[in-house]
Amino acid sequence: MAREELTRLTGNGNGECGQGDCPNVYRTESGSFIVQGDASDAFTPPQGEGLVEIPESVLREAFRALGW
């Protein structure tokens, strides 16, 4: 899946990063979410999964974009 196929919920100029390539939340056509952030090694996830860390402000921005 290409980034262009996702709806970007954060980082559209109103948050900490503006248009930069930093922690962001995207929504897929099926309604699930893709989270972009710094890789985390807090614990070892199951094979095929990964951990990312994003600031609370990014989640709040995503919730606002969704009207939650």
Side-chain angles (χ1 to χ4, degrees), residues 9-26:
L9 300 176
T10 59
N12 293 314
N14 300 323
E16 298 173 4
C17 297
Q19 294 289 339
D21 198 22
C22 54
N24 281 297
V25 178
Y26 301 86

Side-chain angles (χ1 to χ4, degrees), residues 23-24 35-42 51-55:
N24 281 297
V35 178
Q36 174 187 354
D38 295 327
S40 174
D41 59 1
L51 304 175
V52 297
E53 184 174 348
I54 62 172

Side-chain angles (χ1 to χ4, degrees), residues 4-68:
E4 295 77 28
E5 298 175 60
L6 304 171
T7 300
R8 187 173 181 166
L9 300 176
T10 59
N12 293 314
N14 300 323
E16 298 173 4
C17 297
Q19 294 289 339
D21 198 22
C22 54
N24 281 297
V25 178
Y26 301 86
R27 191 160 196 181
T28 67
E29 286 185 6
S30 67
S32 63
F33 298 92
I34 305 291
V35 178
Q36 174 187 354
D38 295 327
S40 174
D41 59 1
F43 63 90
T44 303
Q47 186 173 2
E49 295 184 6
L51 304 175
V52 297
E53 184 174 348
I54 62 172
E56 179 182 330
S57 60
V58 173
L59 286 178
R60 289 181 182 275
E61 185 180 353
F63 294 156
R64 280 192 302 273
L66 292 167
W68 294 359

